[in-house]
mmCIF file of all heavy atoms in Angstrom:
data_model
loop_
_atom_site.group_PDB
_atom_site.id
_atom_site.type_symbol
_atom_site.label_atom_id
_atom_site.label_comp_id
_atom_site.label_asym_id
_atom_site.label_seq_id
_atom_site.Cartn_x
_atom_site.Cartn_y
_atom_site.Cartn_z
ATOM 1 N N ALA A 5 1.819 5.234 0.760
ATOM 2 C CA ALA A 5 1.567 6.062 1.898
ATOM 3 C C ALA A 5 0.215 6.846 1.744
ATOM 4 O O ALA A 5 -0.535 6.909 2.657
ATOM 5 C CB ALA A 5 2.702 7.069 2.143
ATOM 6 N N THR A 6 -0.044 7.272 0.499
ATOM 7 C CA THR A 6 -1.307 8.025 0.260
ATOM 8 C C THR A 6 -2.531 7.177 0.537
ATOM 9 O O THR A 6 -3.476 7.627 1.155
ATOM 10 C CB THR A 6 -1.292 8.506 -1.179
ATOM 11 O OG1 THR A 6 -0.042 9.200 -1.460
ATOM 12 C CG2 THR A 6 -2.434 9.505 -1.422
ATOM 13 N N ARG A 8 -2.643 4.499 2.324
ATOM 14 C CA ARG A 8 -2.585 4.151 3.736
ATOM 15 C C ARG A 8 -3.255 5.246 4.519
ATOM 16 O O ARG A 8 -4.102 4.980 5.423
ATOM 17 C CB ARG A 8 -1.097 3.949 4.144
ATOM 18 C CG ARG A 8 -0.868 3.765 5.563
ATOM 19 C CD ARG A 8 -0.867 2.267 5.967
ATOM 20 N NE ARG A 8 -0.696 2.159 7.414
ATOM 21 C CZ ARG A 8 0.538 2.134 7.987
ATOM 22 N NH1 ARG A 8 1.653 2.077 7.272
ATOM 23 N NH2 ARG A 8 0.625 2.012 9.331
ATOM 24 N N ILE A 9 -2.919 6.504 4.231
ATOM 25 C CA ILE A 9 -3.502 7.698 4.904
ATOM 26 C C ILE A 9 -5.042 7.673 4.754
ATOM 27 O O ILE A 9 -5.795 7.726 5.688
ATOM 28 C CB ILE A 9 -2.924 9.022 4.390
ATOM 29 C CG1 ILE A 9 -1.460 9.127 4.819
ATOM 30 C CG2 ILE A 9 -3.723 10.176 4.916
ATOM 31 C CD1 ILE A 9 -0.705 10.227 4.162
ATOM 32 N N ALA A 10 -5.424 7.511 3.465
ATOM 33 C CA ALA A 10 -6.867 7.554 3.149
ATOM 34 C C ALA A 10 -7.613 6.457 3.906
ATOM 35 O O ALA A 10 -8.695 6.690 4.456
ATOM 36 C CB ALA A 10 -7.111 7.387 1.632
ATOM 37 N N GLU A 12 -6.683 4.806 6.635
ATOM 38 C CA GLU A 12 -6.605 5.117 8.127
ATOM 39 C C GLU A 12 -7.657 6.136 8.516
ATOM 40 O O GLU A 12 -8.360 6.008 9.488
ATOM 41 C CB GLU A 12 -5.199 5.532 8.556
ATOM 42 C CG GLU A 12 -4.361 4.393 8.968
ATOM 43 C CD GLU A 12 -3.175 4.908 9.845
ATOM 44 O OE1 GLU A 12 -3.425 5.770 10.697
ATOM 45 O OE2 GLU A 12 -2.082 4.408 9.660
ATOM 46 N N GLN A 13 -7.657 7.188 7.698
ATOM 47 C CA GLN A 13 -8.640 8.287 8.046
ATOM 48 C C GLN A 13 -10.057 7.828 7.936
ATOM 49 O O GLN A 13 -10.867 8.216 8.772
ATOM 50 C CB GLN A 13 -8.392 9.471 7.088
ATOM 51 C CG GLN A 13 -7.085 10.180 7.348
ATOM 52 C CD GLN A 13 -7.044 11.615 6.843
ATOM 53 O OE1 GLN A 13 -6.237 12.430 7.376
ATOM 54 N NE2 GLN A 13 -7.865 12.021 5.898
ATOM 55 N N LEU A 62 -9.423 14.940 13.183
ATOM 56 C CA LEU A 62 -8.341 14.424 12.341
ATOM 57 C C LEU A 62 -6.998 14.946 12.822
ATOM 58 O O LEU A 62 -5.967 14.223 12.811
ATOM 59 C CB LEU A 62 -8.601 14.790 10.863
ATOM 60 C CG LEU A 62 -9.569 13.903 10.161
ATOM 61 C CD1 LEU A 62 -9.951 14.487 8.792
ATOM 62 C CD2 LEU A 62 -9.056 12.468 10.012
ATOM 63 N N MET A 63 -6.987 16.260 13.186
ATOM 64 C CA MET A 63 -5.738 16.787 13.758
ATOM 65 C C MET A 63 -5.317 16.006 14.980
ATOM 66 O O MET A 63 -4.165 15.667 15.178
ATOM 67 C CB MET A 63 -5.865 18.241 14.172
ATOM 68 C CG MET A 63 -5.993 19.241 13.025
ATOM 69 S SD MET A 63 -4.530 19.317 11.944
ATOM 70 C CE MET A 63 -3.436 20.317 12.945
ATOM 71 N N TYR A 65 -6.131 12.909 15.660
ATOM 72 C CA TYR A 65 -5.702 11.548 15.276
ATOM 73 C C TYR A 65 -4.238 11.558 14.816
ATOM 74 O O TYR A 65 -3.482 10.660 15.190
ATOM 75 C CB TYR A 65 -6.618 11.027 14.161
ATOM 76 C CG TYR A 65 -6.259 9.686 13.661
ATOM 77 C CD1 TYR A 65 -6.555 8.546 14.426
ATOM 78 C CD2 TYR A 65 -5.518 9.469 12.490
ATOM 79 C CE1 TYR A 65 -6.179 7.253 13.996
ATOM 80 C CE2 TYR A 65 -5.166 8.243 12.035
ATOM 81 C CZ TYR A 65 -5.502 7.093 12.832
ATOM 82 O OH TYR A 65 -5.118 5.857 12.376
ATOM 83 N N TRP A 66 -3.899 12.489 13.963
ATOM 84 C CA TRP A 66 -2.540 12.466 13.446
ATOM 85 C C TRP A 66 -1.513 12.923 14.476
ATOM 86 O O TRP A 66 -0.282 12.540 14.415
ATOM 87 C CB TRP A 66 -2.438 13.198 12.096
ATOM 88 C CG TRP A 66 -3.206 12.497 11.028
ATOM 89 C CD1 TRP A 66 -4.315 12.890 10.391
ATOM 90 C CD2 TRP A 66 -2.861 11.197 10.512
ATOM 91 N NE1 TRP A 66 -4.696 11.954 9.469
ATOM 92 C CE2 TRP A 66 -3.832 10.881 9.520
ATOM 93 C CE3 TRP A 66 -1.812 10.279 10.706
ATOM 94 C CZ2 TRP A 66 -3.834 9.684 8.778
ATOM 95 C CZ3 TRP A 66 -1.850 9.087 10.008
ATOM 96 C CH2 TRP A 66 -2.814 8.775 9.060
ATOM 97 N N GLY A 67 -1.938 13.753 15.420
ATOM 98 C CA GLY A 67 -1.056 14.011 16.578
ATOM 99 C C GLY A 67 -0.779 12.799 17.374
ATOM 100 O O GLY A 67 0.350 12.578 17.821
ATOM 101 N N TRP A 68 -1.786 11.975 17.521
ATOM 102 C CA TRP A 68 -1.636 10.703 18.218
ATOM 103 C C TRP A 68 -0.765 9.740 17.440
ATOM 104 O O TRP A 68 0.238 9.159 17.999
ATOM 105 C CB TRP A 68 -3.078 10.134 18.353
ATOM 106 C CG TRP A 68 -3.281 8.648 18.580
ATOM 107 C CD1 TRP A 68 -3.393 7.709 17.608
ATOM 108 C CD2 TRP A 68 -3.395 7.972 19.835
ATOM 109 N NE1 TRP A 68 -3.584 6.484 18.221
ATOM 110 C CE2 TRP A 68 -3.616 6.621 19.542
ATOM 111 C CE3 TRP A 68 -3.364 8.412 21.137
ATOM 112 C CZ2 TRP A 68 -3.816 5.677 20.593
ATOM 113 C CZ3 TRP A 68 -3.542 7.460 22.166
ATOM 114 C CH2 TRP A 68 -3.775 6.154 21.836
ATOM 115 N N ARG A 69 -0.979 9.611 16.151
ATOM 116 C CA ARG A 69 -0.171 8.644 15.293
ATOM 117 C C ARG A 69 1.245 9.137 15.232
ATOM 118 O O ARG A 69 2.179 8.286 15.243
ATOM 119 C CB ARG A 69 -0.826 8.550 13.923
ATOM 120 C CG ARG A 69 -2.160 7.913 13.864
ATOM 121 C CD ARG A 69 -2.097 6.379 14.018
ATOM 122 N NE ARG A 69 -1.604 5.768 12.799
ATOM 123 C CZ ARG A 69 -0.567 4.947 12.748
ATOM 124 N NH1 ARG A 69 0.122 4.607 13.888
ATOM 125 N NH2 ARG A 69 -0.158 4.461 11.600
ATOM 126 N N GLY A 70 1.410 10.436 15.107
ATOM 127 C CA GLY A 70 2.804 10.989 15.047
ATOM 128 C C GLY A 70 3.617 10.733 16.293
ATOM 129 O O GLY A 70 4.813 10.550 16.292
ATOM 130 N N ALA A 71 2.884 10.575 17.428
ATOM 131 C CA ALA A 71 3.576 10.379 18.680
ATOM 132 C C ALA A 71 3.629 8.897 19.019
ATOM 133 O O ALA A 71 3.956 8.508 20.161
ATOM 134 C CB ALA A 71 2.844 11.108 19.794
ATOM 135 N N GLY A 72 3.311 8.020 18.044
ATOM 136 C CA GLY A 72 3.473 6.602 18.193
ATOM 137 C C GLY A 72 2.224 5.871 18.683
ATOM 138 O O GLY A 72 2.294 4.648 18.981
ATOM 139 N N GLY A 73 1.022 6.559 18.663
ATOM 140 C CA GLY A 73 -0.190 5.866 19.020
ATOM 141 C C GLY A 73 -0.544 4.890 17.917
ATOM 142 O O GLY A 73 -0.318 5.150 16.746
ATOM 143 N N LEU A 220 -4.206 18.884 17.903
ATOM 144 C CA LEU A 220 -2.973 18.146 17.530
ATOM 145 C C LEU A 220 -2.197 17.760 18.790
ATOM 146 O O LEU A 220 -1.778 16.594 18.970
ATOM 147 C CB LEU A 220 -2.089 18.965 16.627
ATOM 148 C CG LEU A 220 -0.818 18.337 16.041
ATOM 149 C CD1 LEU A 220 -1.167 17.235 15.092
ATOM 150 C CD2 LEU A 220 0.056 19.362 15.390
ATOM 151 N N LEU A 233 8.208 17.295 21.621
ATOM 152 C CA LEU A 233 7.409 16.996 20.413
ATOM 153 C C LEU A 233 6.171 17.862 20.413
ATOM 154 O O LEU A 233 5.776 18.458 19.390
ATOM 155 C CB LEU A 233 6.975 15.500 20.360
ATOM 156 C CG LEU A 233 6.111 15.115 19.206
ATOM 157 C CD1 LEU A 233 6.708 15.461 17.867
ATOM 158 C CD2 LEU A 233 5.751 13.585 19.210
ATOM 159 N N ALA A 236 7.157 21.156 19.171
ATOM 160 C CA ALA A 236 7.422 21.152 17.693
ATOM 161 C C ALA A 236 6.034 21.126 16.972
ATOM 162 O O ALA A 236 5.854 21.740 15.914
ATOM 163 C CB ALA A 236 8.179 19.904 17.348
ATOM 164 N N TYR A 237 5.063 20.382 17.567
ATOM 165 C CA TYR A 237 3.718 20.340 16.956
ATOM 166 C C TYR A 237 3.152 21.846 16.932
ATOM 167 O O TYR A 237 2.600 22.237 15.973
ATOM 168 C CB TYR A 237 2.760 19.545 17.864
ATOM 169 C CG TYR A 237 2.697 18.067 17.587
ATOM 170 C CD1 TYR A 237 1.952 17.234 18.368
ATOM 171 C CD2 TYR A 237 3.394 17.490 16.474
ATOM 172 C CE1 TYR A 237 1.843 15.810 18.065
ATOM 173 C CE2 TYR A 237 3.306 16.139 16.222
ATOM 174 C CZ TYR A 237 2.526 15.307 17.021
ATOM 175 O OH TYR A 237 2.413 13.970 16.760
ATOM 176 N N GLU A 239 4.758 24.686 16.820
ATOM 177 C CA GLU A 239 5.447 25.557 15.868
ATOM 178 C C GLU A 239 4.863 25.350 14.451
ATOM 179 O O GLU A 239 4.937 26.285 13.596
ATOM 180 C CB GLU A 239 6.928 25.201 15.838
ATOM 181 C CG GLU A 239 7.606 25.787 17.108
ATOM 182 C CD GLU A 239 9.031 25.303 17.227
ATOM 183 O OE1 GLU A 239 9.606 24.774 16.323
ATOM 184 O OE2 GLU A 239 9.550 25.427 18.399
ATOM 185 N N PHE A 240 4.285 24.208 14.222
ATOM 186 C CA PHE A 240 3.596 23.925 12.908
ATOM 187 C C PHE A 240 2.183 24.394 12.987
ATOM 188 O O PHE A 240 1.648 25.061 12.094
ATOM 189 C CB PHE A 240 3.744 22.444 12.640
ATOM 190 C CG PHE A 240 2.674 21.890 11.769
ATOM 191 C CD1 PHE A 240 2.555 22.256 10.410
ATOM 192 C CD2 PHE A 240 1.736 20.954 12.217
ATOM 193 C CE1 PHE A 240 1.558 21.710 9.597
ATOM 194 C CE2 PHE A 240 0.734 20.440 11.424
ATOM 195 C CZ PHE A 240 0.647 20.828 10.064
ATOM 196 N N SER A 241 1.464 23.967 14.051
ATOM 197 C CA SER A 241 -0.011 24.048 14.011
ATOM 198 C C SER A 241 -0.516 25.475 14.302
ATOM 199 O O SER A 241 -1.605 25.880 13.839
ATOM 200 C CB SER A 241 -0.614 23.060 15.058
ATOM 201 O OG SER A 241 -0.043 23.264 16.329
ATOM 202 N N LEU A 244 -0.229 27.596 11.186
ATOM 203 C CA LEU A 244 -1.182 26.994 10.233
ATOM 204 C C LEU A 244 -2.598 27.417 10.567
ATOM 205 O O LEU A 244 -3.366 27.801 9.668
ATOM 206 C CB LEU A 244 -1.088 25.465 10.265
ATOM 207 C CG LEU A 244 -2.111 24.762 9.367
ATOM 208 C CD1 LEU A 244 -1.817 24.953 7.880
ATOM 209 C CD2 LEU A 244 -2.140 23.227 9.675
ATOM 210 N N LYS A 336 5.917 29.516 7.356
ATOM 211 C CA LYS A 336 6.397 29.152 8.690
ATOM 212 C C LYS A 336 5.884 27.748 9.138
ATOM 213 O O LYS A 336 6.621 26.936 9.685
ATOM 214 C CB LYS A 336 5.849 30.186 9.698
ATOM 215 C CG LYS A 336 6.836 30.646 10.751
ATOM 216 C CD LYS A 336 6.263 31.858 11.473
ATOM 217 C CE LYS A 336 6.533 31.828 12.975
ATOM 218 N NZ LYS A 336 5.873 32.873 13.703
ATOM 219 N N ALA A 337 4.619 27.537 8.882
ATOM 220 C CA ALA A 337 3.976 26.221 9.241
ATOM 221 C C ALA A 337 4.652 25.080 8.435
ATOM 222 O O ALA A 337 4.967 24.086 9.079
ATOM 223 C CB ALA A 337 2.478 26.298 8.956
ATOM 224 N N PHE A 338 4.786 25.290 7.119
ATOM 225 C CA PHE A 338 5.336 24.192 6.337
ATOM 226 C C PHE A 338 6.808 23.956 6.678
ATOM 227 O O PHE A 338 7.282 22.784 6.632
ATOM 228 C CB PHE A 338 5.113 24.402 4.871
ATOM 229 C CG PHE A 338 3.686 24.138 4.470
ATOM 230 C CD1 PHE A 338 2.771 25.186 4.221
ATOM 231 C CD2 PHE A 338 3.207 22.843 4.335
ATOM 232 C CE1 PHE A 338 1.447 24.927 3.883
ATOM 233 C CE2 PHE A 338 1.881 22.557 3.990
ATOM 234 C CZ PHE A 338 0.998 23.591 3.802
ATOM 235 N N GLU A 339 7.562 24.951 7.016
ATOM 236 C CA GLU A 339 8.931 24.792 7.421
ATOM 237 C C GLU A 339 8.933 23.962 8.686
ATOM 238 O O GLU A 339 9.791 23.046 8.839
ATOM 239 C CB GLU A 339 9.595 26.116 7.619
ATOM 240 C CG GLU A 339 10.153 26.757 6.327
ATOM 241 C CD GLU A 339 10.505 28.253 6.443
ATOM 242 O OE1 GLU A 339 10.855 28.612 7.581
ATOM 243 O OE2 GLU A 339 10.278 28.954 5.471
ATOM 244 N N ALA A 340 8.084 24.388 9.673
ATOM 245 C CA ALA A 340 8.070 23.644 10.937
ATOM 246 C C ALA A 340 7.579 22.207 10.726
ATOM 247 O O ALA A 340 8.095 21.241 11.438
ATOM 248 C CB ALA A 340 7.082 24.352 11.903
ATOM 249 N N LEU A 341 6.712 22.010 9.763
ATOM 250 C CA LEU A 341 6.231 20.674 9.455
ATOM 251 C C LEU A 341 7.385 19.733 9.038
ATOM 252 O O LEU A 341 7.556 18.588 9.525
ATOM 253 C CB LEU A 341 5.195 20.709 8.355
ATOM 254 C CG LEU A 341 4.668 19.374 7.832
ATOM 255 C CD1 LEU A 341 3.788 18.723 8.891
ATOM 256 C CD2 LEU A 341 3.856 19.579 6.504
ATOM 257 N N GLU A 342 8.266 20.298 8.171
ATOM 258 C CA GLU A 342 9.357 19.476 7.691
ATOM 259 C C GLU A 342 10.404 19.113 8.740
ATOM 260 O O GLU A 342 11.114 18.195 8.611
ATOM 261 C CB GLU A 342 9.991 20.141 6.417
ATOM 262 C CG GLU A 342 9.045 20.378 5.306
ATOM 263 C CD GLU A 342 8.227 19.115 4.887
ATOM 264 O OE1 GLU A 342 8.754 17.961 4.997
ATOM 265 O OE2 GLU A 342 7.009 19.329 4.539
ATOM 266 N N ARG A 343 10.373 19.927 9.780
ATOM 267 C CA ARG A 343 11.354 19.639 10.932
ATOM 268 C C ARG A 343 10.729 18.647 11.939
ATOM 269 O O ARG A 343 11.423 18.162 12.794
ATOM 270 C CB ARG A 343 11.619 20.936 11.688
ATOM 271 C CG ARG A 343 12.561 21.895 10.951
ATOM 272 C CD ARG A 343 13.090 22.985 11.915
ATOM 273 N NE ARG A 343 12.066 23.662 12.644
ATOM 274 C CZ ARG A 343 11.440 24.805 12.219
ATOM 275 N NH1 ARG A 343 11.813 25.345 11.026
ATOM 276 N NH2 ARG A 343 10.536 25.400 12.916
ATOM 277 N N LEU A 344 9.446 18.264 11.781
ATOM 278 C CA LEU A 344 8.872 17.352 12.729
ATOM 279 C C LEU A 344 9.474 15.964 12.639
ATOM 280 O O LEU A 344 9.547 15.426 11.529
ATOM 281 C CB LEU A 344 7.309 17.246 12.454
ATOM 282 C CG LEU A 344 6.423 18.434 12.980
ATOM 283 C CD1 LEU A 344 4.970 18.202 12.567
ATOM 284 C CD2 LEU A 344 6.549 18.568 14.492
ATOM 285 N N PRO A 345 9.829 15.407 13.794
ATOM 286 C CA PRO A 345 10.447 14.088 13.777
ATOM 287 C C PRO A 345 9.433 12.957 13.711
ATOM 288 O O PRO A 345 9.316 12.159 14.608
ATOM 289 C CB PRO A 345 11.161 14.062 15.120
ATOM 290 C CG PRO A 345 10.281 14.883 16.035
ATOM 291 C CD PRO A 345 9.680 15.918 15.124
ATOM 292 N N LEU A 346 8.690 12.938 12.537
ATOM 293 C CA LEU A 346 7.591 11.957 12.410
ATOM 294 C C LEU A 346 7.896 10.903 11.370
ATOM 295 O O LEU A 346 8.748 11.171 10.457
ATOM 296 C CB LEU A 346 6.295 12.664 12.037
ATOM 297 C CG LEU A 346 5.785 13.789 12.941
ATOM 298 C CD1 LEU A 346 4.389 14.200 12.515
ATOM 299 C CD2 LEU A 346 5.767 13.358 14.393
ATOM 300 N N GLN A 347 7.182 9.797 11.433
ATOM 301 C CA GLN A 347 7.297 8.811 10.391
ATOM 302 C C GLN A 347 6.514 9.306 9.169
ATOM 303 O O GLN A 347 5.811 10.292 9.202
ATOM 304 C CB GLN A 347 6.659 7.508 10.882
ATOM 305 C CG GLN A 347 7.566 6.921 12.029
ATOM 306 C CD GLN A 347 7.223 5.468 12.238
ATOM 307 O OE1 GLN A 347 6.079 5.146 12.435
ATOM 308 N NE2 GLN A 347 8.197 4.601 12.198
ATOM 309 N N GLU A 348 6.800 8.617 7.997
ATOM 310 C CA GLU A 348 6.312 9.089 6.720
ATOM 311 C C GLU A 348 4.800 9.323 6.695
ATOM 312 O O GLU A 348 4.280 10.345 6.238
ATOM 313 C CB GLU A 348 6.706 8.067 5.623
ATOM 314 C CG GLU A 348 6.432 8.639 4.194
ATOM 315 C CD GLU A 348 6.505 7.569 3.135
ATOM 316 O OE1 GLU A 348 6.780 6.435 3.486
ATOM 317 O OE2 GLU A 348 6.252 7.924 1.966
ATOM 318 N N VAL A 349 4.070 8.328 7.178
ATOM 319 C CA VAL A 349 2.560 8.399 7.040
ATOM 320 C C VAL A 349 1.966 9.579 7.832
ATOM 321 O O VAL A 349 1.247 10.391 7.250
ATOM 322 C CB VAL A 349 1.946 7.066 7.435
ATOM 323 C CG1 VAL A 349 0.386 7.214 7.606
ATOM 324 C CG2 VAL A 349 2.213 5.986 6.409
ATOM 325 N N PRO A 350 2.230 9.726 9.142
ATOM 326 C CA PRO A 350 1.607 10.877 9.815
ATOM 327 C C PRO A 350 2.167 12.213 9.289
ATOM 328 O O PRO A 350 1.375 13.152 9.215
ATOM 329 C CB PRO A 350 2.047 10.699 11.315
ATOM 330 C CG PRO A 350 3.069 9.593 11.320
ATOM 331 C CD PRO A 350 2.879 8.782 10.091
ATOM 332 N N LEU A 351 3.412 12.259 8.898
ATOM 333 C CA LEU A 351 3.965 13.534 8.332
ATOM 334 C C LEU A 351 3.251 13.905 7.040
ATOM 335 O O LEU A 351 2.785 15.058 6.870
ATOM 336 C CB LEU A 351 5.473 13.344 8.021
ATOM 337 C CG LEU A 351 6.207 14.602 7.669
ATOM 338 C CD1 LEU A 351 6.288 15.540 8.819
ATOM 339 C CD2 LEU A 351 7.628 14.303 7.144
ATOM 340 N N MET A 352 3.033 12.920 6.180
ATOM 341 C CA MET A 352 2.372 13.212 4.920
ATOM 342 C C MET A 352 0.895 13.550 5.169
ATOM 343 O O MET A 352 0.293 14.430 4.476
ATOM 344 C CB MET A 352 2.437 11.964 4.015
ATOM 345 C CG MET A 352 2.112 12.305 2.538
ATOM 346 S SD MET A 352 2.124 10.793 1.512
ATOM 347 C CE MET A 352 3.856 10.660 1.174
ATOM 348 N N ALA A 353 0.309 12.915 6.139
ATOM 349 C CA ALA A 353 -1.135 13.177 6.443
ATOM 350 C C ALA A 353 -1.238 14.655 6.958
ATOM 351 O O ALA A 353 -2.180 15.322 6.556
ATOM 352 C CB ALA A 353 -1.636 12.227 7.534
ATOM 353 N N LEU A 354 -0.368 15.062 7.789
ATOM 354 C CA LEU A 354 -0.417 16.467 8.294
ATOM 355 C C LEU A 354 -0.171 17.427 7.180
ATOM 356 O O LEU A 354 -0.741 18.515 7.119
ATOM 357 C CB LEU A 354 0.582 16.641 9.404
ATOM 358 C CG LEU A 354 0.247 15.996 10.780
ATOM 359 C CD1 LEU A 354 1.317 16.202 11.833
ATOM 360 C CD2 LEU A 354 -1.085 16.576 11.323
ATOM 361 N N ARG A 355 0.709 17.114 6.237
ATOM 362 C CA ARG A 355 0.956 17.942 5.090
ATOM 363 C C ARG A 355 -0.302 18.120 4.267
ATOM 364 O O ARG A 355 -0.687 19.186 3.794
ATOM 365 C CB ARG A 355 2.102 17.403 4.216
ATOM 366 C CG ARG A 355 2.706 18.413 3.268
ATOM 367 C CD ARG A 355 3.779 17.852 2.366
ATOM 368 N NE ARG A 355 4.966 17.502 3.141
ATOM 369 C CZ ARG A 355 5.500 16.281 3.181
ATOM 370 N NH1 ARG A 355 4.944 15.262 2.484
ATOM 371 N NH2 ARG A 355 6.583 16.048 3.896
ATOM 372 N N GLN A 356 -0.992 16.960 4.009
ATOM 373 C CA GLN A 356 -2.252 17.053 3.298
ATOM 374 C C GLN A 356 -3.294 17.906 3.952
ATOM 375 O O GLN A 356 -3.983 18.792 3.365
ATOM 376 C CB GLN A 356 -2.891 15.664 3.142
ATOM 377 C CG GLN A 356 -2.251 14.805 2.067
ATOM 378 C CD GLN A 356 -2.902 13.398 1.996
ATOM 379 O OE1 GLN A 356 -3.984 13.187 2.563
ATOM 380 N NE2 GLN A 356 -2.273 12.518 1.266
ATOM 381 N N LEU A 357 -3.410 17.757 5.322
ATOM 382 C CA LEU A 357 -4.424 18.545 6.050
ATOM 383 C C LEU A 357 -4.030 20.061 5.979
ATOM 384 O O LEU A 357 -4.908 20.877 5.800
ATOM 385 C CB LEU A 357 -4.423 18.124 7.521
ATOM 386 C CG LEU A 357 -5.191 16.857 7.923
ATOM 387 C CD1 LEU A 357 -5.013 16.519 9.378
ATOM 388 C CD2 LEU A 357 -6.695 17.043 7.590
ATOM 389 N N ALA A 358 -2.714 20.308 6.076
ATOM 390 C CA ALA A 358 -2.276 21.685 6.020
ATOM 391 C C ALA A 358 -2.542 22.348 4.718
ATOM 392 O O ALA A 358 -2.958 23.485 4.597
ATOM 393 C CB ALA A 358 -0.748 21.768 6.425
ATOM 394 N N GLU A 359 -2.269 21.540 3.643
ATOM 395 C CA GLU A 359 -2.526 22.087 2.233
ATOM 396 C C GLU A 359 -4.000 22.444 2.061
ATOM 397 O O GLU A 359 -4.344 23.430 1.475
ATOM 398 C CB GLU A 359 -1.897 21.135 1.231
ATOM 399 C CG GLU A 359 -0.404 21.298 1.094
ATOM 400 C CD GLU A 359 0.262 20.147 0.404
ATOM 401 O OE1 GLU A 359 -0.427 19.158 0.054
ATOM 402 O OE2 GLU A 359 1.535 20.211 0.205
ATOM 403 N N ALA A 360 -4.807 21.483 2.518
ATOM 404 C CA ALA A 360 -6.243 21.703 2.381
ATOM 405 C C ALA A 360 -6.695 22.928 3.149
ATOM 406 O O ALA A 360 -7.538 23.743 2.708
ATOM 407 C CB ALA A 360 -7.031 20.492 2.868
#
Side-chain angles (χ1 to χ4, degrees):
Chain A
T6 310
R8 173 92 183 271
I9 291 168
E12 268 200 40
Q13 290 203 156
L62 283 171
M63 287 298 282
Y65 179 76
W66 291 113
W68 159 270
R69 293 283 287 126
L220 185 67
L233 178 56
Y237 272 176
E239 285 168 19
F240 155 67
S241 54
L244 175 69
K336 221 169 140 188
F338 284 102
E339 278 164 30
L341 175 71
E342 300 312 325
R343 287 195 305 270
L344 283 177
L346 304 187
Q347 292 195 308
E348 191 194 358
V349 167
L351 189 68
M352 195 185 278
L354 287 177
R355 195 182 294 122
Q356 281 181 14
L357 282 175
E359 280 163 359

